[in-house]
Amino acid sequence: MILSALLTSVGINLGLCLLFFTLYSILRKQPGNRIVYAPRLVEKEKKSQQADFSLERLLPSPGWVRQAWEPSEDELLSTVGLDAVLSYDFSDLPNKSLDSFSISNVDDGSNRLWIHFCAAYVFTGVVCYFLYQEYSYISSKRVSYFYSSKPQPHQFTLLVRGIPGSSRSSFSEVVESFFKDYHPSTYLSHTVIRRTSKIQELTKDAEKLHRRLARLNSNDNSHKRFRRDGFLGIFGRKVDLLDHYGKRLEALQDNVRMEQSSLAGKEVAAAFVSFNSRYGAAIALHIQQGVNPTEWVTEQAPAPQDVHWPFFSSSFMKRWICKLAVVVACIALTILFLIPVVIVQGLTHLDQLETWFPFLKGVLNLTFISQVITGYLPSLILQLFLSFVPPIMIMFSSIQGHISLSNIEKSACSKVWWFTVWNNFFANALSGTALYHVQVFLEPKKIPQVLAEGVPAQASFFIAYVVTSGWTSISSELFRMFPLICSFISRLCCHNASDDLEVPSIPYHSEIPRVIFSVLLGITYFFLAPLILPFLLVYYCLGYIIYRNQLLNVYAPKFETGGKFWPIVHNSTIFSLLLMHVIAIGIFGLKKLPLASSLVIPLPVLTLLFNEYCRKRFLPIFEAYPTECLVKKDREDQNDATMAEFYEKLVTAYQDPALMPVQYSGSSDGRTSPLLHAANV
């Protein structure tokens, strides 16, 4: 549902607004045929079709386009959730040909520049109008989604941190006493967090051993059951791996139970506190609980399956150090990434490349070689380096202290976005100016002129970037060849065809920044080099239908935030508009039209005022539900006969999975049963 409408054309830039509309497509309507590597679809149908194999199923078919297009928004909402519904040979043109499609073709001081001036105002108004409409629409969908949802544990639960310690009582007793005293009519139960990092490591080791045992138990691997216990399995006596791993698994199980029984004194000064109503939880959330504001600090709890449990094993000091380390690491990564950016920029300028490598001068003079190197190779190299950034940002965010997987992904999404803006846009567009004159950033008055000189010069690079990076990434998303090959190799090595396929979740932290970066390119270049717009239009049309298919048949939601990713998209679009305004001020100044440059100055001011209005009008809905919604939903639950059962489950909903009982039993045939966790509440 993330890709939904297209902006209408504005003035001399027909089709430009299509660019933005596709943005709120990747956050509004997104994702069906079996030619796609779709673990979700395969898992759904494998039992009924396990024995049926047909080569025809692997052949391309246009049927998936129809299947991806047909579902309505409500059908998508019920299938993939609100987050998914909201969250989607041209480079060899001579410079002279490209200039004929850009503002460079307009003479300095020409009255035709006023057309570009009017286009900037009209386009800003259109974008702001659609931003407002979309913010309003998603806000209403968020409220509707809340009304239609069944009672969820996180709606009734808070995370309370900074619990004051007591020498005479445990944290659990302190929490129970406090909330019974000050919230007697709404307090229901609590679960104190414990340090379980050691148990989590033991459990992971046990699960690995179980998988090894499962492979050894398969008929195809019976010949691999015996191995020598010496160096590399070559020397030493032969051992029965089935018996060897079985004993190790039993020992791990005993260690897990011992650790679980010894956790009474390993409590953390944090707890999940549940209430018997949403309104009661909201009161506790928004009112300071103690005289000391650093104690009894409350925040909305994530859904049980969304909790990032390793976070709770960290002390306050460790979390603070990790946050500081992540900031330093992000800055260092951004700086180090300038190295491949400089290399890429060198490839776009043959004269500079000949200076670096004079022995290549003869080869670089060949037309075909020069076109490939300056056109496609730079963006391909840049994309290769960029592919490593999202996983790194996820790692940074995971150690930063966030309490939920969704917050980790939101944090990583923002990090990837700003990293992309700096290293993909500024470092590429201004490598010949700003990066060689860092002092410019210390003189804000020169920034519009620097942008006006550097950004238009890189139009051909960004057109090639959209084609090579944008189109290729969208197409590869459809076929998912790399995950398919990895899955095939894994299953081939395991020799266990009965293993369930792992259904992936959509990586919002990498997909959303990729889409809104294209929006930034469209907004900033729409009046500089409109030639980029058709390529962006193709990119968004492809993305619209492909993401719908992927969300319907490939991805399964890992968490549901109720559309909380939208403010990131809104803010990034506002930033893109402001950047366009700054460039416009500089361009009109360079084009000897100072009056137009001065008249553009109100645009960023008006845009910031609009953004502030949206922040006051809509953002609170994304931070917390209002009393009107909470009370209305609580009254509906009073007539729900299943609420008693829900409250019973709520008591244990936030129990750490590492504290769940584990089961391991042998069977007469020597096979082992899985290491099982208790069922999810």
Side-chain angles (χ1 to χ4, degrees):
M1 169 180 146
I2 288 180
L3 294 164
S4 171
L6 297 172
L7 293 176
T8 52
S9 55
V10 179
I12 60 173
N13 302 296
L14 294 176
L16 161 75
C17 296
L18 292 168
L19 158 72
F20 170 74
F21 239 45
T22 354
L23 157 69
Y24 80 84
S25 300
I26 245 193
L27 286 164
R28 244 181 103 176
K29 294 179 185 170
Q30 288 184 5
N33 204 328
R34 297 170 191 151
I35 64 166
V36 182
Y37 171 51
R40 185 177 177 187
L41 183 61
V42 172
E43 183 183 53
K44 197 186 305 178
E45 300 183 352
K46 68 176 180 179
K47 292 184 179 179
S48 61
Q49 299 182 353
Q50 189 171 8
D52 300 333
F53 176 80
S54 173
L55 182 62
E56 185 179 355
R57 292 173 56 189
L58 301 178
L59 298 178
S61 167
W64 70 270
V65 177
R66 177 181 55 82
Q67 296 174 18
W69 179 269
E70 284 181 348
S72 65
E73 185 174 284
D74 292 336
E75 291 172 336
L76 284 173
L77 186 64
S78 63
T79 303
V80 301
L82 183 59
D83 285 337
V85 171
L86 300 175
S87 322
Y88 242 9
D89 173 68
F90 302 101
S91 64
D92 61 343
L93 289 172
N95 289 334
K96 186 175 180 180
S97 298
L98 186 58
D99 287 344
S100 65
F101 292 97
S102 69
I103 198 173
S104 301
N105 191 46
V106 183
D107 297 332
D108 293 351
S110 173
N111 288 331
R112 294 183 179 181
L113 290 171
W114 288 103
I115 299 178
H116 294 264
F117 169 83
C118 295
Y121 262 90
V122 173
F123 179 71
T124 300
V126 171
V127 171
C128 290
Y129 170 79
F130 281 113
L131 275 177
Y132 178 86
Q133 293 295 323
E134 190 63 10
Y135 223 145
S136 176
Y137 169 80
I138 296 176
S139 299
S140 64
K141 293 298 291 186
R142 178 172 162 79
V143 173
S144 300
Y145 185 80
F146 173 74
Y147 281 141
S148 62
S149 64
K150 295 180 179 180
Q152 302 293 329
H154 63 277
Q155 298 173 353
F156 296 79
T157 306
L158 303 180
L159 173 65
V160 180
R161 293 188 288 186
I163 301 173
S166 173
S167 58
R168 294 175 296 178
S169 305
S170 64
F171 283 123
S172 180
E173 293 170 340
V174 171
V175 171
E176 184 175 15
S177 174
F178 181 88
F179 282 95
K180 280 187 174 180
D181 285 345
Y182 299 106
H183 300 271
S185 61
T186 57
Y187 168 73
L188 180 65
S189 63
H190 72 277
T191 301
V192 174
I193 310 302
R194 302 177 187 272
R195 296 185 180 93
T196 60
S197 56
K198 187 174 181 180
I199 298 179
Q200 292 168 4
E201 294 176 1
L202 292 173
T203 303
K204 290 179 181 178
D205 293 340
E207 290 174 347
K208 291 179 182 178
L209 278 177
H210 169 257
R211 288 194 292 269
R212 292 182 184 177
L213 286 167
R215 292 196 294 269
L216 289 172
N217 278 321
S218 64
N219 295 329
D220 295 339
N221 288 286
S222 58
H223 64 285
K224 299 181 180 179
R225 177 171 171 176
F226 298 94
R227 193 185 69 176
R228 297 185 183 274
D229 61 356
F231 179 71
L232 296 177
I234 301 176
F235 305 100
R237 62 184 180 86
K238 281 190 175 182
V239 296
D240 185 345
L241 293 181
L242 190 63
D243 180 65
H244 176 67
Y245 289 151
K247 291 180 180 179
R248 286 180 58 186
L249 186 57
E250 290 178 355
L252 282 173
Q253 174 202 354
D254 293 338
N255 289 337
V256 169
R257 290 175 177 171
M258 289 178 59
E259 287 294 325
Q260 288 177 340
S261 63
S262 64
L263 283 179
K266 297 183 179 180
E267 295 179 335
V268 179
F272 288 107
V273 181
S274 298
F275 299 81
N276 56 23
S277 68
R278 300 174 184 83
Y279 183 66
I283 291 177
L285 174 64
H286 296 292
I287 296 179
Q288 183 177 315
Q289 298 300 310
V291 176
N292 186 346
T294 63
E295 296 179 346
W296 300 106
V297 180
T298 59
E299 59 183 287
Q300 189 68 48
Q305 69 274 14
D306 191 21
V307 177
H308 181 56
W309 293 103
F311 159 74
F312 296 107
S313 300
S314 302
S315 64
F316 171 81
M317 182 60 66
K318 185 177 179 180
R319 293 198 310 271
W320 184 82
I321 294 174
C322 286
K323 289 181 179 179
L324 181 61
V326 166
V327 173
V328 174
C330 288
I331 295 174
L333 179 63
T334 303
I335 295 174
L336 290 175
F337 199 82
L338 292 177
I339 297 174
V341 170
V342 170
I343 295 175
V344 166
Q345 279 302 312
L347 295 177
T348 61
H349 302 285
L350 287 181
D351 53 347
Q352 187 174 356
L353 199 60
E354 291 175 357
T355 303
W356 290 352
F357 307 101
F359 58 89
L360 294 178
K361 186 173 182 179
V363 178
L364 295 176
N365 288 333
L366 298 177
T367 303
F368 174 77
I369 298 297
S370 64
Q371 289 176 346
V372 171
I373 291 178
T374 60
Y376 292 99
L377 193 58
S379 56
L380 289 177
I381 294 176
L382 187 62
Q383 184 63 22
L384 177 63
F385 281 100
L386 283 172
S387 64
F388 296 100
V389 174
I392 294 175
M393 293 306 183
I394 279 286
M395 180 186 68
F396 285 167
S397 297
S398 65
I399 64 177
Q400 200 171 6
H402 295 289
I403 66 170
S404 65
L405 300 175
S406 58
N407 282 338
I408 289 174
E409 198 144 339
K410 284 174 58 183
S411 176
C413 181
S414 297
K415 290 182 177 68
V416 173
W417 158 245
W418 289 113
F419 181 93
T420 304
V421 169
W422 174 254
N423 282 288
N424 270 24
F425 186 80
F426 287 112
N428 278 288
L430 307 180
S431 61
T433 53
L435 291 183
Y436 293 133
H437 303 85
V438 180
Q439 65 271 21
V440 169
F441 290 101
L442 303 177
E443 302 179 42
K445 292 182 179 180
K446 291 186 177 181
I447 291 179
Q449 179 181 352
V450 170
L451 291 173
E453 292 174 349
V455 173
Q458 294 299 325
S460 59
F461 170 80
F462 284 118
I463 290 176
Y465 178 86
V466 171
V467 175
T468 56
S469 175
W471 293 6
T472 303
S473 62
I474 288 293
S475 302
S476 61
E477 171 63 33
L478 175 63
F479 292 101
R480 290 178 55 82
M481 290 302 298
F482 183 73
L484 174 61
I485 294 172
C486 292
S487 176
F488 176 77
I489 294 175
S490 175
R491 291 168 63 83
L492 187 64
C493 295
C494 292
H495 297 285
N496 193 356
S498 62
D499 286 346
D500 290 337
L501 290 170
E502 183 180 354
V503 181
S505 60
I506 183 168
Y508 289 112
H509 66 286
S510 61
E511 298 305 307
I512 291 178
R514 181 188 303 170
V515 173
I516 56 183
F517 178 69
S518 297
V519 171
L520 182 143
L521 293 181
I523 291 178
T524 53
Y525 275 99
F526 89 100
F527 79 106
L528 298 176
L531 187 61
I532 198 175
L533 300 179
F535 301 103
L536 288 171
L537 177 58
V538 172
Y539 168 77
Y540 280 114
C541 289
L542 287 173
Y544 179 84
I545 194 66
I546 288 175
Y547 275 113
R548 285 177 65 100
N549 175 78
Q550 300 302 91
L551 287 172
L552 284 168
N553 295 323
V554 178
Y555 296 120
K558 182 169 57 177
F559 51 77
E560 176 60 50
T561 69
K564 286 188 175 182
F565 282 92
W566 171 254
I568 297 176
V569 179
H570 175 89
N571 293 335
S572 63
T573 307
I574 292 293
F575 171 81
S576 300
L577 284 174
L578 295 175
L579 181 61
M580 183 264 285
H581 299 154
V582 173
I583 295 173
I585 292 173
I587 281 288
F588 292 130
L590 291 177
K591 287 290 184 178
K592 304 297 188 295
L593 203 66
L595 179 59
S597 183
S598 301
L599 292 177
V600 171
I601 293 177
L603 265 183
V605 177
L606 294 174
T607 302
L608 289 173
L609 290 175
F610 164 78
N611 183 57
E612 181 64 15
Y613 172 78
C614 289
R615 195 178 70 85
K616 297 292 186 182
R617 169 64 178 83
F618 299 114
L619 188 58
I621 298 294
F622 291 82
E623 295 176 343
Y625 291 106
T627 299
E628 179 182 355
C629 297
L630 297 174
V631 173
K632 186 180 295 185
K633 190 66 175 174
D634 285 337
R635 288 173 179 171
E636 291 179 2
D637 290 342
Q638 293 176 358
N639 301 322
D640 190 346
T642 64
M643 286 302 295
E645 181 182 359
F646 170 78
Y647 288 135
E648 292 178 2
K649 293 182 178 180
L650 183 59
V651 174
T652 57
Y654 284 92
Q655 184 175 354
D656 192 334
L659 300 178
M660 298 290 188
V662 295
Q663 297 177 355
Y664 172 79
S665 61
S667 56
S668 58
D669 61 357
R671 299 195 177 194
T672 58
S673 64
L675 188 67
L676 297 176
H677 292 302
N680 291 333
V681 179

